[in-house]
Amino acid sequence: MVPCRRSMGDIAIVTDLARFARGASLAALSAALTLAAAPAFAQDGNAPATQAERSYSIAAQPLDQALAQFARAADVQLAYSAELVSGRPSPGVSGSFTVQEALARLLGGTGLSFRMTDGRTFTLMSVGGADGEQVTGVVSVEGVQGSPYFGGAGQAAGVNGVNGSRDITATEGTGSFTSGALTIGSKVPQALKDVPQSISVLTSERLEQQNVTDFTSALKQLPGVSLVQGTTSLENTFYSRGFAITSIQVDGGAPLTTGFADGVQSGFYPQIDMSIYDHVELLRGASGLFNGYGDPSGSVNLVRKKPLDHSQFSVEAQAGSWSNYRIVADATSPLALDGRLRGRLVMTYQDQHHFYDLANDNKTLIYGIAEFDATPTTTLRAGIDYTRQDSLPWNGGLPRYRTGADLKLPRSTSLAFPWNRWDFDTTEIFGGLDQKLGDEWNLKVNLTHTRQSSTQKLGFSSGAVNPNNDLGPVLRGTYNDYATKQFSAEAVLTGAFELFGQRQEITVGANRVDADAGGQVAYTTLITSSASAPYQPYPGGPRYCYTTSLSKPCPAGTIAPRTPPINLFDFDPYDPIYNEPSNPLASSLTSINERAQSGAYMNLRLTAFNRFHLTTGLRWSRYEYKYAYNNFCINTTGTCASLEVGDPYGGANAAYSDDDFSWPPPVNLSFDITKQLTAYVGYTDIYQSQSTYLTTNLQPIGPVTGSNIEAGAKWSARGGRLNLSIAAYRIKQSGFGTLDGAYDLDTGDFVASNGDRFPNYGSIDANHSCCFTSDPEHTLRSKGIDFEVSGEILPGWQVSGSYTFNETKQEGTWFEVIDGQNKPIVSLQPKQLYKVWMSYDFEAGGASGLLRGLTLSGGVNGQSSGYQEGEGCLSEFIVTNDVTGEAGCATGGSYDYNFTVPAYAVVSGRIDYRFSDNWALAVNLENVLDKTYYQTVGSVDSGNWYGSPRNVTATLRAKW
């Protein structure tokens, strides 16, 4: 039985069942749509597209040549060994036949037969073998890819592109923990071994096995990635190699602009559900050639599910700890025109509560995509996804004692309020074109338009806890409206040609992202209190006020502190003193907030000798920013003395831009020691805009520059079904902005080094400040090693394991004064990370009987310790305010602390049983040992978040 919320009793059960019923109705609607479309889905009844007749005219010739022509004409994949077809003639085929009939005629008299691997893949075999001769030796793949390159070899190995998707990188249906084709490091499908950088994949099989349902849980499973909880339960920051990951792509397109980018508020907070994605790709290290600006942390690519060439319907229903219910319905099929028009529909509903009290998320998602083969070489793609998410988030996390000691509260404790909300409406419309230009060339265009609006109203705790009386935290609040839209476009031409007797590969592309957060309104503080206007949570209730001003004392009858106190050890969020406050007044309107990033690039993979490859390229980037805002009067004094409340006044506007041409260019050298083992070494430059920092001339200062040097080796075994890599890297960044002057605390001006004065402490607008200059001594360094293994070790035994060691430090005069020399860039980041997940499928391992349907999986995610620095107060120096009860610190009692996140390991497991080809039941158990640990630590005031306790999720899956 799934436990209900303790605080709501029977009412919670009724509410949960009602919400789950709505989700079940959503799945029923998806099923109804599938059944209603069934007549259109099928060709010749319910037959797959391969049973439609086509015309063939293939002359008698050597079999290998005939097979290549047939694969292109039939639009299918053929897998066979070179030895199997060598020296055999084919009689050819002429006339109108189904694919199977035509292939049988083509193989007539050759002594070969075939079996269908999936809807469009056929494996050739000898007729004389007892059970059908296995395909051994070097495998050739002929078909729509036109070449064993660009993912063809991985498809032959069964680790990508085998389930009838036009996307060669698709991992659905492979059952594998690895892939033979990723685009994250090259814009063109390449094997992991052939990309001279550290890249990883979270396949469809791992998404299912590890119960990965959202972006946060996906990145937590990827190698070398660590998490720091954000301000709210809906926000996280992910780090790789000591730097925040800020580059997120979809289908390899131009990166999205999220949260704060280059110091500019985008207003876009993606709430990514993994039900619409086939797999996740990760590149660790600098990725500036294709992605332009950003930290040298890496880049993430989310690859959408595409329509399949055969009918498939699946439904997945989950129930888990803390009243977590989820249902996903996924339908795909050919729609018309002999399978040239295909579609896919995914509908998801989730009602999720957290292990801490009160917080919850309710999500509805609809995703639809259609593909059309306009010609044998042209595929058009268009789709839309809409997400509605209503959340009751927790803001701020837990505080600590003023001394820095842990409160040791139960993990179920939260300081959320029932009126907290952050509601999202996100619509994404996308389209694309894949145009084949011969066997080796391809033009790809991606277009995406995203629009999101969200409203955030949050109450939260502020302040450390006084160990003498358990008081100190008080109620605070914030209110925000966000609205943003983005348009991204990218065109990429990829191909290969022969030069000096060797295969050479080239990629040329251009992209642009336009992000517009104009129309965003800022509001005054949600919960305010002053001597002239004490805070009163409800009519007739207590009035809160506290001031140290003798000239403006608090009115008689008011009580301290300034806003309602919060006792963490006896906290009742339904207490009327925490009633929902009225929405605050608008204080300003950002009428223009436009950010555009453009780029053009060229990448070459040159081969001088059979085993020696040089990869290099060039990139031009441009950053543009426009900003304009107006203030609103919130009173009728001072500047607004002659105006009404709500009237606009003041304001500013600004426009900035900068360009960069990458030089020196990135250079990577790789050497194929054997056909399975490759060694590489490479250099990539780093360029990061600092356009929010202005010089005394109000122009952006120069960018942060640096280098990413990496060397490693990659090994591909078992025909591509197992991949292993090891890499060592060193990253350097320098040229960070530093103040060029000093603040005048008496006037509030910033006085530049040349004597110019800038009011408002140098604030030019909400996102730009003066005055700065680049400091060449201000340097960040990161170095370490990555190790990863993924794929099938033995039949049925899959493994994904990684180990990362990373050491960072900061250098320069600025750090000596402000933060101390040689300290980590982000102290919360662990030096060591290890992640292991293994699975054994008894059927794939050859078992029979009852064991045939069983799959057992398990793993561990662990990390070394990290810490957060701050200032605490020795217990004997704690001074208690007699009025407010808050803790102060007597002179001499302050000390610097390190809040340590001790090393920890979280063990998880899974049992999956397939009752038939259509039905399966799985149970996931997370944090098996019920380890108590902090995922993130903050300050004495807030920012301390527990990791999840032991929890269980049961999943019922059906597929037809």
Side-chain angles (χ1 to χ4, degrees):
M1 177 178 294
V2 179
C4 66
R5 289 168 290 165
R6 295 169 297 165
S7 59
M8 298 297 289
D10 293 339
I11 296 176
I13 298 175
V14 175
T15 304
D16 288 337
L17 290 175
R19 288 174 173 168
F20 188 71
R22 291 201 301 272
S25 299
L26 184 65
L29 175 60
S30 178
L33 290 173
T34 305
L35 294 174
F41 282 5
Q43 300 124 9
D44 188 20
N46 290 319
T50 50
Q51 291 187 12
E53 290 191 352
R54 299 190 183 205
S55 295
Y56 300 91
S57 180
I58 301 174
Q61 57 189 300
L63 180 57
D64 57 347
Q65 299 177 24
L67 290 172
Q69 292 182 27
F70 171 78
R72 288 192 292 270
D75 198 22
V76 297
Q77 300 282 354
L78 302 177
Y80 53 86
S81 66
E83 293 84 355
L84 192 65
V85 302
S86 177
R88 300 179 190 258
S90 169
V93 58
S94 180
S96 295
F97 306 99
T98 66
V99 171
Q100 290 91 330
E101 292 169 343
L103 183 54
R105 282 170 168 75
L106 196 73
L107 296 175
T110 64
L112 300 180
S113 183
F114 64 87
R115 60 180 173 85
M116 182 182 290
T117 306
D118 59 49
R120 65 186 182 96
T121 303
F122 298 84
T123 301
L124 304 191
M125 62 189 69
S126 171
V127 175
D131 297 315
E133 185 174 307
Q134 297 297 313
V135 177
T136 58
V138 179
V139 176
S140 299
V141 178
E142 301 289 355
V144 294
Q145 307 307 318
S147 169
Y149 297 98
F150 300 144
Q155 187 177 43
V159 293
N160 59 268
V162 301
N163 198 38
S165 172
R166 283 292 189 270
D167 184 357
I168 186 65
T169 71
T171 64
E172 180 181 6
T174 65
S176 177
F177 283 9
T178 193
S179 176
L182 302 182
T183 61
I184 185 68
S186 57
K187 292 291 182 181
V188 63
Q190 293 276 20
L192 279 71
K193 183 178 72 69
D194 295 333
V195 178
Q197 284 184 275
S198 294
I199 60 174
S200 303
V201 60
L202 190 64
T203 64
S204 178
E205 181 69 15
R206 285 190 60 200
L207 291 175
E208 178 182 296
Q209 285 202 18
Q210 296 186 259
N211 193 31
V212 174
T213 60
D214 57 34
F215 185 71
T216 296
S217 54
L219 262 67
K220 286 173 70 173
Q221 305 304 334
L222 284 166
V225 176
S226 60
L227 174 150
V228 172
Q229 184 70 46
T231 304
T232 72
S233 54
L234 297 176
E235 299 171 88
N236 297 287
T237 301
F238 298 95
Y239 289 86
S240 170
R241 298 188 172 180
F243 301 90
I245 297 175
T246 57
S247 174
I248 302 174
Q249 308 170 50
V250 179
D251 280 346
L256 298 172
T257 299
T258 62
F260 278 89
D262 300 329
V264 178
Q265 171 61 263
S266 75
F268 182 59
Y269 295 89
Q271 302 300 301
I272 297 173
D273 190 280
M274 297 307 299
S275 62
I276 68 174
Y277 297 103
D278 176 88
H279 65 277
V280 185
E281 303 174 354
L282 170 68
L283 181 149
R284 295 183 298 282
S287 57
L289 179 62
F290 297 117
N291 298 322
Y293 301 98
D295 282 305
S297 53
S299 184
V300 177
N301 182 33
L302 299 163
V303 181
R304 298 184 182 100
K305 291 179 177 177
K306 307 300 193 302
L308 305 182
D309 65 1
H310 59 279
S311 296
Q312 176 180 291
F313 176 71
S314 66
V315 63
E316 179 180 281
Q318 290 187 341
S321 300
W322 313 303
S323 300
N324 183 8
Y325 301 111
R326 175 181 172 90
I327 188 164
V328 179
D330 183 344
T332 181
S333 180
L335 299 175
L337 303 175
D338 293 332
R340 290 165 54 206
L341 179 63
R342 303 169 297 280
R344 190 160 194 165
L345 175 68
V346 179
M347 306 179 77
T348 304
Y349 174 82
Q350 181 165 350
D351 188 40
Q352 176 185 16
H353 294 255
H354 298 269
F355 66 87
Y356 37 82
D357 296 333
L358 214 58
N360 66 82
D361 304 303
N362 186 274
K363 180 192 301 180
T364 302
L365 178 151
I366 301 176
Y367 166 77
I369 182 174
E371 280 186 341
F372 174 56
D373 296 333
T375 73
T377 60
T378 306
T379 298
L380 301 174
R381 185 178 300 112
I384 184 171
D385 68 79
Y386 170 78
T387 303
R388 169 70 185 182
Q389 179 167 317
D390 298 331
S391 297
L392 193 165
W394 175 19
N395 185 86
L398 293 170
R400 301 173 78 96
Y401 283 117
R402 183 68 176 86
T403 60
D406 184 10
L407 298 176
K408 299 187 182 301
L409 292 167
R411 286 176 289 181
S412 60
T413 304
S414 88
L415 303 177
F417 296 89
W419 47 267
N420 279 14
R421 61 182 176 271
W422 196 354
D423 301 333
F424 300 86
D425 271 294
T426 308
T427 302
E428 184 178 68
I429 302 172
F430 58 91
L433 163 72
D434 287 337
Q435 176 65 59
K436 297 185 183 302
L437 306 170
D439 289 342
E440 299 285 4
W441 289 83
N442 189 77
L443 173 65
K444 185 173 184 177
V445 177
N446 273 324
L447 304 172
T448 302
H449 176 80
T450 304
R451 182 184 294 270
Q452 183 185 80
S453 61
S454 68
T455 301
Q456 178 193 77
K457 188 173 186 179
L458 303 173
F460 56 92
S461 166
S462 176
V465 178
N466 185 342
N468 296 330
N469 55 18
D470 292 338
L471 298 178
V474 295
L475 177 65
R476 295 283 188 267
T478 184
Y479 182 89
N480 291 288
D481 270 334
Y482 299 113
T484 182
K485 56 185 178 181
Q486 295 189 50
F487 178 76
S488 65
E490 181 163 47
V492 184
L493 176 66
T494 60
F497 57 93
E498 189 169 302
L499 183 66
F500 306 125
Q502 301 291 336
R503 174 188 174 87
Q504 320 295 335
E505 296 176 1
I506 185 172
T507 299
V508 180
N511 55 27
R512 180 177 174 89
V513 179
D514 283 300
D516 183 3
Q520 185 170 307
V521 178
Y523 294 85
T524 57
T525 303
L526 179 64
I527 300 172
T528 59
S529 179
S530 65
S532 58
Y535 179 71
Q536 188 173 36
Y538 58 92
R543 295 191 301 160
Y544 293 92
C545 177
Y546 177 71
T547 179
T548 58
S549 173
L550 297 177
S551 60
K552 293 183 179 180
C554 289
T558 59
I559 58 176
R562 185 174 288 107
T563 60
I566 296 175
N567 186 338
L568 277 71
F569 301 94
D570 188 24
F571 176 61
D572 178 9
Y574 296 97
D575 191 313
I577 65 173
Y578 306 129
N579 276 359
E580 179 178 355
S582 301
N583 292 348
L585 295 172
S587 59
S588 66
L589 169 66
T590 304
S591 55
I592 301 174
N593 187 0
E594 299 176 359
R595 182 177 181 269
Q597 182 173 313
S598 307
Y601 52 83
M602 178 182 68
N603 184 61
L604 286 168
R605 186 174 188 264
L606 304 174
T607 301
F609 307 99
N610 284 336
R611 299 184 178 185
F612 187 78
H613 312 282
L614 167 67
T615 303
T616 187
L618 295 171
R619 180 182 177 92
W620 169 82
S621 302
R622 179 173 176 81
Y623 174 91
E624 301 169 85
Y625 174 71
K626 294 180 181 179
Y627 183 88
Y629 74 96
N630 285 101
N631 296 315
F632 296 127
C633 290
I634 58 175
N635 52 47
T636 55
T637 61
T639 306
C640 293
S642 60
L643 301 174
E644 300 292 331
V645 172
D647 285 350
Y649 76 95
N653 61 81
Y656 309 102
S657 65
D658 60 5
D659 300 81
D660 173 62
F661 185 79
S662 62
W663 193 265
V667 176
N668 292 278
L669 301 175
S670 58
F671 180 72
D672 298 331
I673 300 172
T674 68
K675 290 184 178 180
Q676 291 77 38
L677 180 63
T678 296
Y680 69 92
V681 62
Y683 161 89
T684 304
D685 74 322
I686 296 170
Y687 179 95
Q688 187 177 2
S689 173
Q690 297 188 101
S691 60
T692 58
Y693 297 154
L694 307 181
T695 67
T696 54
N697 296 323
L698 299 185
Q699 293 300 311
I701 67 172
V704 174
T705 58
S707 61
N708 182 117
I709 298 174
E710 181 175 325
K714 297 186 177 185
W715 180 53
S716 181
R718 297 181 59 80
R721 295 189 298 276
L722 179 66
N723 285 283
L724 184 147
S725 66
I726 186 168
Y729 59 87
R730 190 189 71 185
I731 298 171
K732 177 184 176 182
Q733 276 187 309
S734 60
F736 290 87
T738 188
L739 288 174
D740 185 19
Y743 294 105
D744 185 336
L745 299 181
D746 294 329
T747 63
D749 293 344
F750 181 84
V751 183
S753 59
N754 63 0
D756 291 345
R757 302 181 74 90
F758 296 87
N760 300 320
Y761 298 98
S763 176
I764 306 303
D765 56 52
N767 295 311
H768 293 81
S769 301
C770 183
C771 299
F772 293 85
T773 185
S774 295
D775 180 2
E777 301 299 322
H778 185 156
T779 301
L780 303 181
R781 297 183 185 272
S782 173
K783 63 181 180 180
I785 58 172
D786 280 335
F787 170 81
E788 182 182 8
V789 57
S790 61
E792 185 182 64
I793 297 178
L794 294 172
W797 185 9
Q798 297 275 347
V799 63
S800 173
S802 65
Y803 170 79
T804 301
F805 175 83
N806 175 245
E807 187 176 57
T808 67
K809 64 179 180 179
Q810 43 194 359
E811 300 174 345
T813 305
W814 185 87
F815 289 117
E816 291 178 353
V817 174
I818 302 297
D819 206 20
Q821 187 77 291
N822 294 330
K823 289 188 176 181
I825 299 172
V826 180
S827 61
L828 280 175
Q829 298 315 296
K831 285 188 176 182
Q832 300 181 73
L833 280 168
Y834 54 95
K835 303 179 182 183
V836 179
W837 184 261
M838 291 191 293
S839 172
Y840 187 75
D841 184 331
F842 283 81
E843 180 180 13
S848 59
L850 291 177
L851 287 177
R852 183 180 179 186
L854 181 63
T855 300
L856 297 179
S857 309
V860 58
N861 282 13
Q863 65 177 56
S864 60
S865 62
Y867 69 92
Q868 182 74 289
E869 292 186 319
E871 184 178 278
C873 185
L874 297 172
S875 57
E876 62 269 26
F877 285 83
I878 293 288
V879 178
T880 301
N881 187 302
D882 293 335
V883 179
T884 67
E886 294 179 90
C889 193
T891 302
S894 297
Y895 74 99
D896 293 332
Y897 61 72
N898 288 341
F899 293 157
T900 300
V901 180
Y904 64 84
V906 178
V907 179
S908 302
R910 179 179 188 262
I911 300 174
D912 184 294
Y913 194 83
R914 298 183 299 278
F915 298 99
S916 68
D917 291 339
N918 304 115
W919 292 92
L921 176 66
V923 176
N924 284 73
L925 187 60
E926 306 290 335
N927 195 358
V928 174
L929 304 179
D930 202 23
K931 173 73 173 179
T932 298
Y933 65 100
Y934 278 105
Q935 172 68 57
T936 302
V937 295
S939 66
V940 292
D941 294 317
S942 63
N944 301 280
W945 299 83
Y946 280 117
S948 299
R950 181 191 295 126
N951 61 94
V952 63
T953 302
T955 305
L956 179 65
R957 301 191 313 276
K959 180 182 289 187
W960 297 272

